[in-house]
Amino acid sequence: MAKRIVVDPVTRIEGHLRIEAVVENGRITEAYSAGTMVRGLEKILIGRDPRDAWAFTQRVCGVCTTVHALASVRTVEDALGITVPKNAELVRNIMYCTLMVQDHVIHFYHLHALDWVDVVSVLSADPVETSKIARSISKWPKTSPAYFKAVQDRIKTFVESGQLGIFANGYWGHPQYKLPPEVNLIGVAHYLEALEWQKEIVKIHAVFGGKNPHPNYLVGGVPCSFNMDEVNAINAERLNLVGRLITEAIQFVEHVYIPDLLAVAGFYKDWASIGGGVSNYLSYGDLPTRSYNDIDSFKFPRGAILNRNLNEVHEVNARDTEEIKEYIAHSWYRYTGGDGTGLHPWNGETQLNYTGPTPPYDYLNVDEKYSFLKTPRWKGHAMEVGPLARLLVAYAQGHEEVKEVVGEALARLDVGPEALFSTLGRTAARGLEARLAVHWLKGFYDELVGNIKAGETRTFTPDKWDPDTWPQTAEGVGMTEAPRGALAHWIKIKDKKIDNYQLVVPTTWNGSPKDPKGQRSAYEEALIGTPVADQNIPLEIIRTIHSFDPCLACAVH
Amino acid sequence: MADVQTAPSYKRVYVWELPVRFYHWVNALCVFILIITGFLIGNPVSISYSTEAYQQYWFGTVRFLHFVTAFIFFFNFMFRIYWGFVGNRYARWTNFIPHKAAQFKEMWEVLKVDVLQTSLKGEIHVGHNMLAGFIYFISFLVFLFQAITGFALYSSMSSAWLPQQFTWVVALMGGEFAVRQWHHTFMWFFIVFVLIHVYLVAYHDYIEGRGTTSSMVGGWKFVKESRLKGEA
Amino acid sequence: MQEKGYSRRDFLRFCAFAASIAGIEASGLNTVVAAFEHTPRPPVLWLHFQECTCCSESFIRSSHPVVADIVFDVLSLDYTETLQAASGHQAEKCLHDTMKTYAGKYIVLVEGSVPLANDGVYCCIGGRTAKDILLDVTQDAAAVIAWGSCASFGCVQNAKPNPTGATPVHQILNKPVINVPGCPPIADVMTGVVTHLLVYGRTPELDSRGRPKAFYARRVHDTCYRRPYYDAGMFVESWDDDKARKGYCLYKMGCRGPVTYNACAVTKWNGGVSYPIQSGHGCIGCSEDKFWDNGPFYQHLASFPGFGIESTADTIGKVVGVATAVGITAHAITTNIRKKSLIDEHREESVEGGEI
Ligand code: HEM
Ligand code: HEM
Ligand code: NFV
Ligand code: SF4
Ligand code: SF4
Ligand code: F3S
Ligand SMILES: [Mg+2]
């Protein structure tokens, strides 16, 4: 007997996501992913100064803060033909890697972990045993029995207070929780440690961008200046702070995140065959080591994979108006040319057209429009984007560093590469990527220090700052790889003002509703076939959905 | 000598009392300084010193001048408002706020004679003509607006009683940015006003030849006896 | 207290912080400790509407107290979509349980604005509109805090043309709302306001716009360490020029510090590491109402609506000024032509010099 279950709000994500899933005989047979909040930023941007766009688009999301700012300044620089100085590129890379690492750690511990870690079971853990396990998997110093005992006591007092706060009504005791109490205790201890640590690493953003969330960016470079002989600029003291934070970040990722990830994954190998989803992967690539205009120099390569065929990586061209298109057959928008058409973002439109049920409602009308996300397609294909897509594209292109960390993890877990196409694979890919990023972070930092040592301190290219130097019309596209996947902004400039501005965002790719042909996007497709043990408890649904790290403010904007 | 016979005889009329003249020149000086210092506050010249910041205070001085002048401007203006109730017939508010049909007609006449120049000869007025009076009235409103927005901005820099009476303006206008924007914009009213005003004073002197300019210094205007309609 | 794995010393340090922001002297510390030790953790419901969640992100960056201590020891965060374990109807149950059990005793924190256009369909959670949820949940709240510029002033989605009718919380509720603006607000300001509320059980002193005076009484400009450069007239004139590298004042680069009320220059960001100006970019005025419509951000006054980018009041003023000068000249010329007879008449009337 088929039953449609609703999960709304999906929590431990960013934003307002609603999942409706049809369950038949304990498995999901159809799924609908809906974004239920919209702000209309693409409309708000029209008519504004292109140099301000980064600040507006940055407010699309405070979780992946900076990536929209980065995409935006690149978009405007692309339109106006600006190349930023080497140091500006390095500072941007440093800020990028910082976000990548911080966002992935937060996702693993604070957004995803409670899907796998049973907090209540911690009460029955043996601190001595816990310490033994912790020491066997990592060199992290905080592993004494006394330490774990203190954490356990803290949880005990908390639970006994009767006020469970953020842990209230969790799915504790569900048979799908498979970790021994001791591993759960390690998880909870590191939940707390990660919470403390994440506020440290973002200080790198504060040094270069003045604050986090929402550090400052600048069209043409970065706003901070280097002056080794000035207290009012980025000097040795500031750089030393960044250096120390990077060292600590490497420690945390290597000795906490990665060991925990592998330990937990070891108990959930069944999830390596659940939640595979669409079998196409897209990455725009990022982290230029020479210049943003030199794609071959990217740490994350650009490309697309179809049908899980790792032997062929397709080229991706964001300027080709036939490659990337957004559809609205099931989205609450209207297109001038008809709702069945697809539009390349340069010609994109954002006209709100809510046709859903009048609230309060129990179910969405899923046969018609049912989400505020538009539906992007690459050459007509539904694509998955994100850490997994990035690793696969790099892996398929024979990227050495990526092959090494992926190979090592697969060996440790004793699974083959096909395990990557799954809920577990997605979660693992995120950790492996954080590991790569944190070492690249160090590399970029060292390079920056080297540049300064060699006397190169420029951070800004001034020649196109003045709008009087701009052509009457211009168009550009700026691409990046956000933590959740391929992100690009498209701009049209006319008479020094924004004439059109469109964002196609990672979660738009992954979480969108069906396209006019009825093809599912990644969330919906990944849910198909997922077992649901108890229809009243959506644990399995949120596991797979969380493996994508949804961000709905991004997706809809 | 024959000329002398045919020449009309003029009578002296004491139009601008000393307080009005005093007000006028203090005001003119203040506005002049406020425009210059205000313009600089909006568009400062950046000076690169070899010395340290704490050894210089030029921008602070510009702002200080603006504020001191602003206080003088404000109290002088308050005084003029008072004088509008107790001064002579030329200083009174009835000359500024048109309320009689005849006054509106007069405004139209002046417009035709002095601005559009469709008719050449019109009435020559002893005090302000009605159009001028009305424009002064509008400018008084702008003086008030500028003082209100100015003190509103100043209220964040001073806990003194007077500026603190204007804090409501910031909330009303939705933030200091808006207050500043309007305060700045209205600087241009003053610039344009002064240009036109000084020109028209000269124009009247030129066309009417009876000492308009000096009237604001000495107080006297000369009026053709034949034209005096018992005004004096 | 000791059992929580965090020492009593840590807790006292936190109390001292709470007390210091509340302005009580060290001698009053014991009462604060007592107030905490004998009350259950006050329940807190955190609502999420039209937002980017950076207020939540900022909150967890708090350095004193650290967020784990707040969430485990100070208050009971019974509902927040960003962090809570339960989803779907289990999550909704958390909300309703607290509303029922602690009616009149819970605190509501709102992040995000509320869309009122089109009957509120632009933000729905669990099938209900944001407005519906806000009214329902705040009904029995002991206090309401609006986090960030979104909930306080509407923020970016409220910028023209505000397609969804995004509305700040205080405009919807009939009860006092503590506004903590900023995009986002500073983490330590957020926890500072919450702890202030919990120490006294009453709201901190607010200004006319509902902002705690402790953090919003002064302009960024009034406490900015670059202020001496401003007063000296030493300004940055182009990004990364010599003056930028010496850290001169950013006024001419559009800094909004002179019109922005916030604690950035004093409290600073991320545990005191920096704030926008210290890292070279001007303040964009992120804690002010309507700051998005005051652009471009790179001039200290806005472009004039209806005119092009960078056409400030000055551009228009100059045009009007020149037009006036031209008009005056034209008028002077026509006067000499049209009124020639009148002028000649004056000349004739005139008495020869020296005759009288
Ligand atoms: C900053 C410059 C100036 C300002 C703001 C200004 C303002 C004013 C105001 C407000 C009045 C109305 C006076 C009243 O009834 O209280 C006035 C009248 C007058 N002003 Fe000025 N003034 C300025 C400069 C000058 C100058 C340079 C002259 C001539 C040398 C001048 C000559 C006069 C005369 C003759 C009147 C009387 C005009 C009439 O009856 O229509 N003013 N001025
Ligand atoms: C003729 C009258 C006045 C003119 C033309 C004038 C003009 C200006 C201008 C152009 C600015 C710069 C605004 C900007 O670009 O940000 C300014 C600033 C200011 N004015 Fe005035 N102003 C006048 C009267 C006043 C008065 C009566 C006050 C009362 C206190 C005042 C107080 C201020 C203040 C406080 C500032 C801001 C200065 C700062 O923050 O550095 N002004 N004024
Ligand atoms: N989807 C998304 Fe973002 C990311 N990562 C942005 O582009 O999260 Ni807020
Ligand atoms: S106030 Fe700014 S930072 Fe906070 S949620 Fe709104 S947009 Fe994000
Ligand atoms: S940098 Fe900004 S806030 Fe600081 S003194 Fe200059 S104008 Fe004021
Ligand atoms: S932009 Fe915002 S963060 Fe502070 S310095 Fe200005 S209020
Ligand atoms: Mg879009």
Side-chain angles (χ1 to χ4, degrees), chain A residues 9 11-12 14 36 62 163 212, chain C residues 41 52-53 61 81 86 88 124:
Chain A
T11 59
R12 278 180 284 127
E14 193 297 326
T36 56
Q163 288 181 290
N212 171 285
Chain C
R41 288 173 293 128
C52 77
T53 311
R61 311 280 196 266
E81 288 156 49
C124 287

Side-chain angles (χ1 to χ4, degrees), chain A residues 6-16 18 36-41 43-44 47-52 54-56 59-63 65 102-103 106 110-111 114 150-151 153-155 157-158 161 163-172 191-192 195-196 198-199 202-203 206-214 216-218 223-227 230 232-233 238 241 352 354 357 359-361 372 457-460 462 465-467 495-497 536-538 542 546 553, chain C residues 3-6 40-43 48-54 57-58 60-63 66-69 71-73 75-94 97 102 118-129 132 155-164 183-184 225-226 229 238-241 244-248 253 269-271 273-276 278-282 284 286 291-293 295-298 306-310:
Chain A
V6 176
V7 189
D8 181 8
V10 175
T11 59
R12 278 180 284 127
I13 61 163
E14 193 297 326
H16 303 292
R18 176 186 178 96
T36 56
M37 187 278 276
V38 63
R39 291 170 291 165
L41 270 145
K43 293 191 84 133
I44 290 167
R48 303 197 183 252
D49 189 328
R51 296 170 303 173
D52 285 358
W54 71 262
F56 283 80
R59 270 65 184 187
V60 162
C61 184
V63 176
T65 181
Q102 177 260 357
D103 199 13
I106 290 216
H110 308 119
L111 306 183
L114 301 181
V151 174
D153 287 347
R154 195 176 193 194
I155 298 298
T157 321
F158 186 76
S161 76
Q163 288 181 290
L164 280 181
I166 54 172
F167 299 140
N169 285 337
Y171 311 118
W172 322 126
Y191 180 105
L192 295 172
L195 204 49
E196 278 225 46
Q198 54 84 29
K199 76 180 198 306
V202 298
K203 288 178 179 172
V207 167
F208 296 116
K211 72 199 244 253
N212 171 285
H214 295 335
N216 290 303
Y217 273 69
L218 189 68
C224 57
S225 288
F226 291 100
N227 187 345
E230 177 58 62
N232 279 340
R238 300 270 93 181
L241 172 57
L352 297 178
Y354 182 79
Y361 53 78
F372 280 119
T457 56
R458 274 183 326 124
T459 56
F460 177 69
W465 178 254
D466 183 354
D495 298 332
K496 304 172 188 174
K497 293 184 191 175
N536 286 316
I537 301 179
I542 60 170
H546 278 164
Chain C
E3 294 152 47
K4 285 184 179 159
Y6 268 68
R41 288 173 293 128
H48 298 261
F49 299 135
Q50 282 182 301
E51 61 175 32
C52 77
T53 311
C54 85
E57 286 282 346
S58 188
I60 66 173
R61 311 280 196 266
S62 173
S63 63
V66 297
V67 71
D69 291 1
V71 172
F72 284 87
D73 304 336
L75 45 79
S76 184
L77 193 48
D78 293 351
Y79 186 87
T80 167
E81 288 156 49
T82 313
L83 287 174
Q84 74 187 114
S87 275
H89 58 87
Q90 281 90 357
E92 308 238 277
K93 185 172 183 308
C94 296
D97 284 353
Y102 295 98
N118 209 349
D119 293 327
V121 296
Y122 298 127
C123 179
C124 287
I125 300 147
R128 293 164 74 198
T129 64
D132 192 11
C155 209
V156 66
Q157 52 276 0
N158 169 284
K160 289 184 184 111
N162 190 357
T164 60
C183 189
Y225 78 109
R226 297 197 183 193
Y229 296 94
S238 168
W239 299 110
D240 202 34
D241 66 0
R245 290 173 188 204
K246 288 187 190 147
Y248 286 9
M253 304 312 290
W269 284 80
N270 306 101
V273 169
S274 188
Y275 70 111
Q278 190 175 345
S279 295
H281 195 285
I284 63 171
C286 79
F291 79 97
W292 294 106
D293 288 331
F297 293 133
Y298 300 104
F307 297 82
I309 295 292
E310 292 206 322

Side-chain angles (χ1 to χ4, degrees), chain C residues 280-304:
Chain C
H281 195 285
C283 166
I284 63 171
C286 79
S287 55
E288 287 291 309
D289 196 359
K290 300 268 181 284
F291 79 97
W292 294 106
D293 288 331
N294 291 342
F297 293 133
Y298 300 104
Q299 49 193 38
H300 85 281
L301 294 177
S303 284
F304 234 65

Side-chain angles (χ1 to χ4, degrees), chain C residues 180-242:
Chain C
V180 186
C183 189
I186 302 169
D188 296 315
V189 165
M190 298 177 82
T191 50
V193 172
V194 169
T195 47
H196 189 134
L197 201 63
L198 299 182
V199 169
Y200 285 114
R202 61 181 151 84
T203 51
E205 203 184 330
L206 306 177
D207 69 6
S208 64
R209 314 209 74 196
R211 301 172 295 194
K213 283 189 178 168
F215 305 108
Y216 297 93
R218 290 202 189 84
R219 301 173 304 162
V220 170
H221 184 62
D222 296 327
T223 46
C224 178
Y225 78 109
R226 297 197 183 193
R227 182 63 183 266
Y229 296 94
Y230 175 86
D231 288 330
M234 299 160 88
F235 301 105
V236 175
E237 294 195 290
S238 168
W239 299 110
D240 202 34
D241 66 0
D242 281 352

Side-chain angles (χ1 to χ4, degrees), chain A residues 25 31 50 57 73 81 113 117 162 203 216 231 233 262 269 307 448 477 520 531:
Chain A
N25 304 322
T57 57
V73 293
V117 172
K203 288 178 179 172
N216 290 303
V231 71
L262 295 176
K269 284 195 213 165
N307 301 316
L448 180 67
V477 53
R520 296 183 198 99

